[in-house]
Amino acid sequence: RDSGSDARPSSSPSMSFDGGFVFVAMESTVEECVRRNIIGMPRDGAFILDRHIDTNTAVFFCTVDKRNQRHAMLLDVYKPKQLFSAHRPTLERDAFQGEYPAQLWITPRMLSGAPVLGPQV
């Protein structure tokens, strides 16, 4: 961050984000993500976790139905626990029936000292 005089101080360091990532998946997949505190991508999507998500990226969830007609955003905000590792891309082999082997641990994001958690899916 620039510490110059034109930089505005944050009201709370826990409320600043360097970017955002919306994880879109079927409701059952999002439920597994929330339960395990992990997100996953197909092997060919690992570059997204590697290049576009850092430890200060806000992670949001959006569920879709089988016909892609109904979308729902969860109000919960998560953040990665660490950077993605190409050397150890799969953290839990039994997660997502093995369909999403590129994985990243997440944790609920604290805002103003409290986690932002809406209704659980």
Side-chain angles (χ1 to χ4, degrees), residues 72-102:
M73 281 294 292
L74 276 65
L75 297 178
D76 305 349
V77 182
Y78 290 82
K79 69 177 185 174
K81 285 186 174 183
Q82 83 287 326
L83 295 175
F84 175 75
S85 171
H87 299 292
R88 186 172 178 235
T90 304
L91 304 170
E92 292 194 15
R93 294 203 181 281
D94 64 332
F96 315 112
Q97 290 98 29
E99 292 181 33
Y100 307 123

Side-chain angles (χ1 to χ4, degrees), residues 55-66:
T55 56
N56 201 32
T57 299
V59 177
F60 303 93
F61 290 102
C62 178
T63 61
V64 296
D65 65 2
K66 289 183 180 183

